[in-house]
Amino acid sequence: MSSKYGFVIPNYNHDLVIHDTISALVDFNLPIILVDDGSNEQTQNVLEEIDAEFALVTLVRRIENGGKGAAVQTGLVHAHQAGWSHAIQIDADGQHDLNDVDQLVTRSKLYPKALVSGQPIYDESISKGRYYGRFITHFWVYIETLSFALKDTMCGFRVYPLDAYITLINSTRLGKKMDFDIEVMVKLYWQGTPVEFIKTKVHYPENGVSHFNVWEDNVLISKMHTRLFFGMLWRLPRLIINKFK
């Protein structure tokens, strides 16, 4: 089957920078699925204008806000139904370096069965709490996989091999909020999907909107790591065998 790539962008009330992001992405001449995750009226109007302006954009609406993970999952299913082989996930808040899209896709075409993810290089715009908090997740992911192969599980700049993703969601449930990016990568790894990384700069723009709730999302991620830990235990023999292959 020939490869077909496109962009999936989840959006919840990101109305300030999304037009600039889409304008930059159309230069790649790839289809774009823009998922409105129950945004407010102002953002809905902006997204409708983008949908009308750019022929490459398909606007998919979720009536109610379900969370970033829910929006990405909606976009990935639409991408698979549209016949795409791979979906490039990009966040809507302008934090990702679009100059690295070509590098991301090139790595994906070199390893077409792999999940290819950005490995962030942060500048001074990242908060200290967010920066150091990531190391807690890194620690737990190392335990859950018995491997250092997953260098970063929180970066939302990645390419999904859609056949592998559809196989995964037919066998398990995934988090629908900020836990999604971590959980889907760990479970794809458990499934046997290779994971590749490219280093990429990440910048949090001044007019960007973050929907990360420090208390609620950290509790959610902690619960997810508990589930993944126990999921690791019954996979323990296979994970150990894989370390010596």
PDB file of all heavy atoms in Angstrom, residues 48 159 195 209 244:
ATOM      1  N   GLU A  48     -14.082  27.929  11.281  1.00  0.00           N
ATOM      2  CA  GLU A  48     -14.917  27.904  10.078  1.00  0.00           C
ATOM      3  C   GLU A  48     -14.296  28.744   8.967  1.00  0.00           C
ATOM      4  O   GLU A  48     -14.323  28.365   7.790  1.00  0.00           O
ATOM      5  CB  GLU A  48     -16.318  28.421  10.410  1.00  0.00           C
ATOM      6  CG  GLU A  48     -17.155  27.436  11.210  1.00  0.00           C
ATOM      7  CD  GLU A  48     -18.496  28.011  11.623  1.00  0.00           C
ATOM      8  OE1 GLU A  48     -18.760  29.198  11.287  1.00  0.00           O
ATOM      9  OE2 GLU A  48     -19.268  27.300  12.284  1.00  0.00           O
ATOM     10  N   VAL A 159       4.444  11.256  14.446  1.00  0.00           N
ATOM     11  CA  VAL A 159       3.793  10.605  13.306  1.00  0.00           C
ATOM     12  C   VAL A 159       3.317   9.228  13.719  1.00  0.00           C
ATOM     13  O   VAL A 159       4.117   8.403  14.196  1.00  0.00           O
ATOM     14  CB  VAL A 159       4.751  10.464  12.101  1.00  0.00           C
ATOM     15  CG1 VAL A 159       4.026   9.799  10.919  1.00  0.00           C
ATOM     16  CG2 VAL A 159       5.304  11.815  11.672  1.00  0.00           C
ATOM     17  N   VAL A 195       9.661   2.622  17.945  1.00  0.00           N
ATOM     18  CA  VAL A 195       9.550   4.050  18.240  1.00  0.00           C
ATOM     19  C   VAL A 195      10.867   4.732  17.893  1.00  0.00           C
ATOM     20  O   VAL A 195      11.934   4.281  18.320  1.00  0.00           O
ATOM     21  CB  VAL A 195       9.194   4.306  19.712  1.00  0.00           C
ATOM     22  CG1 VAL A 195       9.016   5.803  19.963  1.00  0.00           C
ATOM     23  CG2 VAL A 195       7.921   3.554  20.105  1.00  0.00           C
ATOM     24  N   VAL A 209      -2.211  29.394  24.537  1.00  0.00           N
ATOM     25  CA  VAL A 209      -3.130  29.042  25.617  1.00  0.00           C
ATOM     26  C   VAL A 209      -2.854  27.603  26.029  1.00  0.00           C
ATOM     27  O   VAL A 209      -2.932  26.695  25.202  1.00  0.00           O
ATOM     28  CB  VAL A 209      -4.599  29.189  25.181  1.00  0.00           C
ATOM     29  CG1 VAL A 209      -5.530  28.760  26.314  1.00  0.00           C
ATOM     30  CG2 VAL A 209      -4.891  30.620  24.757  1.00  0.00           C
ATOM     31  N   PHE A 244      16.639  -9.013  25.611  1.00  0.00           N
ATOM     32  CA  PHE A 244      17.784  -9.831  25.243  1.00  0.00           C
ATOM     33  C   PHE A 244      17.737 -10.317  23.791  1.00  0.00           C
ATOM     34  O   PHE A 244      18.546 -11.135  23.371  1.00  0.00           O
ATOM     35  CB  PHE A 244      17.900 -11.036  26.178  1.00  0.00           C
ATOM     36  CG  PHE A 244      18.188 -10.641  27.603  1.00  0.00           C
ATOM     37  CD1 PHE A 244      17.159 -10.546  28.535  1.00  0.00           C
ATOM     38  CD2 PHE A 244      19.474 -10.333  27.998  1.00  0.00           C
ATOM     39  CE1 PHE A 244      17.420 -10.165  29.844  1.00  0.00           C
ATOM     40  CE2 PHE A 244      19.740  -9.966  29.303  1.00  0.00           C
ATOM     41  CZ  PHE A 244      18.710  -9.880  30.222  1.00  0.00           C
TER      42      PHE A 244
END
